[in-house]
């Protein structure tokens, strides 16, 4: 079992920045991919970014337009998502997720084994 606890959500104005963090516990993460998803009301969760724990290889959804950066902290067993130049359309609940494997391009939420509780990000115009 892997437990995930997210933090860092909140409200910002357009153009602002937020940094989300996700602390993992329960087992070592080598051999896992950690990712951030987001979910808009009435929509399926969509992949934002993913990182392969063992070597830091990353993958980003095109919708990020280079504004988001995913990173890991081996010492803290945590992953972060730095979000810059935020737009109102980034408003969503953001989830941290973990899956067994190494392919960072898998975007299906059903492929992920463990999920955090979600954190709200609201961007006002």
């Amino acid at each position: 079992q892997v437990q995930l606890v997210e933090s860092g959500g909140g409200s910002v104005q357009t153009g602002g920045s937020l940094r989300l963090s996700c602390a993992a516990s329960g087992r070592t993460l080598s051999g896992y991919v950690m990712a951030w998803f987001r979910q808009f009301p009435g929509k399926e969760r969509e992949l934002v970014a993913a990182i392969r724990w063992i070597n830091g290889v990353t993958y980003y959804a095109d919708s990020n337009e280079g504004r988001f950066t995913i990173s890991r902290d081996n010492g803290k067993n945590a992953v972060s998502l730095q979000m810059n130049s935020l737009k109102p359309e980034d408003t969503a609940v953001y989830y941290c997720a973990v899956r067994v494997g190494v392919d960072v391009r898998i975007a299906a939420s059903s492929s992920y084994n463990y999920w955090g509780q979600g954190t709200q990000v609201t961007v006002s115009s």
Side-chain angles (χ1 to χ4, degrees):
Q1 283 279 17
V2 177
Q3 292 79 41
L4 303 172
V5 178
E6 298 135 342
S7 60
S11 298
V12 294
Q13 293 187 326
T14 297
S17 298
L18 280 175
R19 186 176 182 87
L20 306 182
S21 295
C22 175
S25 62
R27 61 178 59 189
T28 57
L29 296 175
S30 58
Y32 285 77
V33 170
M34 293 191 74
W36 287 96
F37 283 74
R38 63 186 181 185
Q39 188 170 24
F40 304 111
K43 301 290 187 181
E44 297 288 323
R45 293 180 187 180
E46 64 177 39
L47 180 67
V48 175
I51 187 166
R52 184 186 301 158
W53 190 263
I54 195 167
N55 61 8
V57 169
T58 58
Y59 172 81
Y60 295 93
D62 291 339
S63 59
N64 298 340
E65 303 169 320
R67 299 177 294 124
F68 297 173
T69 302
I70 190 171
S71 60
R72 77 197 194 294
D73 185 330
N74 287 347
K76 296 182 179 180
N77 231 33
V79 64
S80 296
L81 184 70
Q82 178 67 42
M83 303 187 293
N84 299 326
S85 303
L86 284 162
K87 306 175 182 180
E89 49 264 43
D90 294 317
T91 296
V93 178
Y94 285 70
Y95 294 90
C96 176
V98 170
R99 60 177 291 272
V100 176
V102 297
D103 191 346
V104 292
R105 299 165 299 172
I106 293 178
S109 60
S110 58
S111 298
Y112 282 76
N113 307 103
Y114 305 102
W115 293 86
Q117 78 282 5
T119 185
Q120 177 70 44
V121 170
T122 302
V123 185
S124 58
S125 57

